[in-house]
Every structure is written in structure tokens, then in C-alpha cells.
Amino acid sequence: MEESPRGWWGVRTLSWYVGGSQVLGVACVVITGVWLGQYHGGYAWDGTGHQFNVHPLCMVLGLVFLYGDAIMVYRVFRNESKRNVKILHAVLHLLALVLSIVGIVAVFDFHNALKISNMYSLHSWCGMITFILFILQWLIGLALFLFPWASRWLRSAYLPLHVFFGLGLFGLSIATCLQGITEKMLFSSPETYSKFDPEGVLANILGLLLLLFGAVVAYVVTHEDFRRPPLPEEEELSAHFKTLTEGGTPSSP
Amino acid sequence: MEESPRGWWGVRTLSWYVGGSQVLGVACVVITGVWLGQYHGGYAWDGTGHQFNVHPLCMVLGLVFLYGDAIMVYRVFRNESKRNVKILHAVLHLLALVLSIVGIVAVFDFHNALKISNMYSLHSWCGMITFILFILQWLIGLALFLFPWASRWLRSAYLPLHVFFGLGLFGLSIATCLQGITEKMLFSSPETYSKFDPEGVLANILGLLLLLFGAVVAYVVTHEDFRRPPLPEEEELSAHFKTLTEGGTPSSP
């Protein structure tokens, strides 16, 4: 088979992108932790600002880092059976969901303890929409792709939507973090922020690293050469299934 | 040819998505205009807040609405020659660029007149990165796709990157707007924002409409069934070009 113009550069670079994404993702989590630990007193579940600090850390760890890793698993585990990779995809998303619930409870609790209004800012609206659609996406994905009752037609019709909304919500999650960083800096340190104090620069760098992480994950997931080829036994099964359900020939694509 | 599972729903729905995107895009521009006109005194080039107001209006009109329309032209003008659509794509981007320059000059001028620091916030960092990469993307696109000197190999290798970065920058542009809305509300009306006053609700709705516009544009551009099929004369030319340059047969795909 003739190599595509970009084929020679193709799949060999995948491990570099995945490695880079992990460095970026860990950097995001660590910088979030250090920012709120160093400049805002660290973490506790006590209804004070320390409890608020749990919120960004959980969201960046759950709805950015784990979410990003979850959507890359089909590219990373190319030689595992599809079923195992699906389970890993679902479990990583479930972990992200649990962390995001902890993060959301932390900030609601903190607001209620200090009698601060909930859900008035654009950040909170975007965050809540991301969270609700994330749960819906997870449930529909579980029902259609992990359990056996969905037809091949339905799976095939829904898959592009699952990918589109999955990647879109991942982008929305990062956009919500950027608004969160903006809010935190303007609420806590508006004077020093405009003087390029280290905290503000660190928070901005965190924002850029979140964007870079998102960009690398999106590239890995959408790049044609990184697409996971079906394993031989999957091709055989798929062809057999097609013969049984649609009357096609096993050799048809 | 057998219809794909989602084929029957396919291209017939495109006009609805494109129409919907235009309603959303115009709504974004109008709401931005009304928000700053109604609640912040309108528009002027006088170094006051009225000049600041020019900034969001130009950015939403240029780097969201026109940018979004520019990347949809290949789907909308399916029966125009590719060259004409390319020129329209480039011209709409150029208009977006001119408007964004006006918008950026407006806010720098306003800051300088009031001795407010420039470029300290995450919003300004994201905005400047979007702007610089947008110019680079436009220049590289112009050089490779509109002028005839780039080889078929180079165009084919660069196209997926052009599409990826184009769509990514469009997303970044919208994410930057959401940070801008957050900044504006927290700088101008922090007290009333937390009381669900109409201005804050309007600003949040603007944020959601920007997201919806972005989602519809991204869907139209990435949905397989909406892809522009090559016109018969383009297929012929392409096959002829392939024969001349690569020694392929005109009938090869």
C-alpha cells in the first residue's frame, strides 16, 4: 500500500505526543496544587478558603487530566482488546466524574458557609453544563457501547456524536477552568495581578498549560495516522457479525 | 451505493445547521452591542469606557462571527468553484483580522489613557496568542493554498494541520471571549452580578450563545456527511494533475 504524504512521519511520533501530554497534564495538576497551597493556604474541608481550594484541584485532576487521558486510551492501547480499552475508557471517566463531584460539593459547601451566592457567574453556568452533559454522555456511552443490547446500526450512528460531544465537552471543561482562573485572580488578588506579581504569572502559565494539554490530546485523538487499526480477531468478528446481521460478505470492508 | 447509517439524515439537514448558526451568530453580535450600549454607555473613540466597548464588539463580530462563517464556506457553497470559495474563505478571514486589529487597538488605547496595565491577565494572554496564531495561520494558508507555487504533496500534508489549528484557534477565540465576559462583569458590576441582576444574566446568556455558535460551526465543519464533494471538473483536473506529477492513472482515486 502506498504511504500517504504524511504517513512516514505517522504513528512513530504518537508516543512523543502521548508522553508530552502526560508531562503537560501532570504539570497542570502540580501547578494548581502549588498555586493554591503556596498562595492560598492549602487544603482542608472546613468551610473556609482552604475548602474552596479543593475545587480547582479536583476539577483540573478530574475533568481535565483524567478526562484527557480517558479519551486518548484508544490511541495509546493499540494492541489491547477493544473490550478492555472500552472498560478503561469508562473507568477513567468514572474517576473523573467522582473527582468532579467532590470538587463541586467543595465549592457549594464553601459558598453556603460564607453565604456567597451560588451559580451566578458564567464560570458556574459553563461548569454545571459541562458536568451535566458529561454525566449524560457517560450514561449513554455505557448503555450503547459497553452493554450488548445496542444494534450495530445504532452504535455506528451514535459513535460520531459520542466523539464530537466528548471532545467538545473536554474543550468546554478547559474553557471553564480558564474562566475559573480569571475569577480566582480577580476575587483574591486584583491589585497584585495587574502588577505581574508571581502568583498571577503562575496562574496565567497554568492557563496556557491547560490549553496546551487540551491541544495535544485533541491532536492525538483527531489525527488520522494515529487512528487505532482493528486487531485481526476484531476484523474477523466484525465481518462475521456483518454477515449475520446485514447479509454482507465476510470480505467486504 | 448503500447509504451509511446516518446518510438518510445527511446533507439535507445542513441548511438547518447553517441557518441556526447564523441566527446564533447574529444574536451574539446584537447582544454584545446591546449589553455594552445599554449598560455601559455605548461607543466612542475617546479613551473612556465607551472606547473600551468597541473591543468586545469588534472581537465578537470579527474573531467569532466572521471567523465561524469563514470556516463554514466550504460546506455552504458546495457548487461554487473551489478557487472562488478559497478566495471568500481568505477575504472573510481578512475582514475578521481587520476588525480584531481595531478591537485590540481600542483596548490598548483605553488602558493607556487610564494608565491601566496591559497584558497582565489570562484573557489578554489568550487573546494575544489567538491573534498572533490567527495571522500566522492566514499567511501560511494564503501562501500554500491560494498561490500556485506549493506542491500537491505540501498542500496535502499541510491541510489537516490547517484545519486542526483553524478550528482550535476558533475554539480558543471563544474561550477568550468567555474570560472577557467574566472580567468585564467582575470589574464593572461585581456586587449586582452575584444578585442575578439582568446585566449579569444577559452577559451569561451571551457566553452560552457564543458556545452554541461555536458548537454548531464545529459540527458543520467536522460532520462527514456535510463534506463538500469535488465538482466533476475538479476531479478531472485533480486526476490529470496526478498523472502529470506522480505518474498515476487518471482513474486512480
Side-chain angles (χ1 to χ4, degrees), chain A residues 200-217:
Chain A
V201 175
L202 186 73
N204 288 3
I205 289 172
L206 170 61
L208 298 192
L209 290 173
L210 287 165
L211 281 171
L212 264 179
F213 176 71
V216 175
V217 169

Side-chain angles (χ1 to χ4, degrees), chain B residues 95-110:
Chain B
L95 280 177
L97 184 59
V98 170
L99 277 167
S100 67
I101 291 172
V102 176
I104 290 173
V105 170
V107 73
F108 271 84
D109 251 28
F110 162 73

Side-chain angles (χ1 to χ4, degrees), chain A residues 5 117-122 125 129 153 156 164 172 178-179 182-183 193-194 196 204 208 211 215 218-219 222, chain B residues 5 117-122 125 129 153 156 164 172 178-179 182-183 193-194 196 204 208 211 215 218-219 222:
Chain A
S117 298
N118 285 303
M119 295 299 306
Y120 69 84
S121 71
L122 183 56
W125 287 27
I129 288 170
W153 184 91
S156 154
F164 178 79
L172 182 53
L178 303 185
Q179 295 166 58
T182 301
E183 271 197 6
Y193 195 25
S194 66
F196 294 90
N204 288 3
L208 298 192
L211 281 171
Y219 186 71
T222 57
Chain B
S117 298
N118 284 303
M119 295 300 305
Y120 69 85
S121 71
L122 182 57
W125 288 26
I129 288 170
W153 184 91
S156 154
F164 178 78
L172 182 52
L178 303 185
Q179 295 167 58
T182 300
E183 271 198 6
Y193 195 24
S194 66
F196 294 89
N204 288 3
L208 299 192
L211 281 171
Y219 186 71
T222 57

Side-chain angles (χ1 to χ4, degrees), chain B residues 24 43 68 75 85 96 116 118 130 145 169 172 180 204-205 209 211 227 229-230 234 242:
Chain B
L24 287 166
Y43 307 86
R75 302 294 178 272
V85 184
I116 299 170
N118 284 303
T130 311
F145 295 123
L169 285 181
L172 182 52
N204 288 3
I205 288 172
L209 290 174
L211 281 171
R227 198 174 281 277
E234 287 167 9
K242 199 172 161 66

Side-chain angles (χ1 to χ4, degrees), chain B residues 83 86-87 90-91 140-149 155:
Chain B
R83 193 183 155 72
K86 272 187 189 179
I87 291 171
V91 167
I140 300 173
L142 189 80
L144 294 192
F145 295 123
L146 262 179
F147 292 106
W149 55 57
R155 285 186 182 186

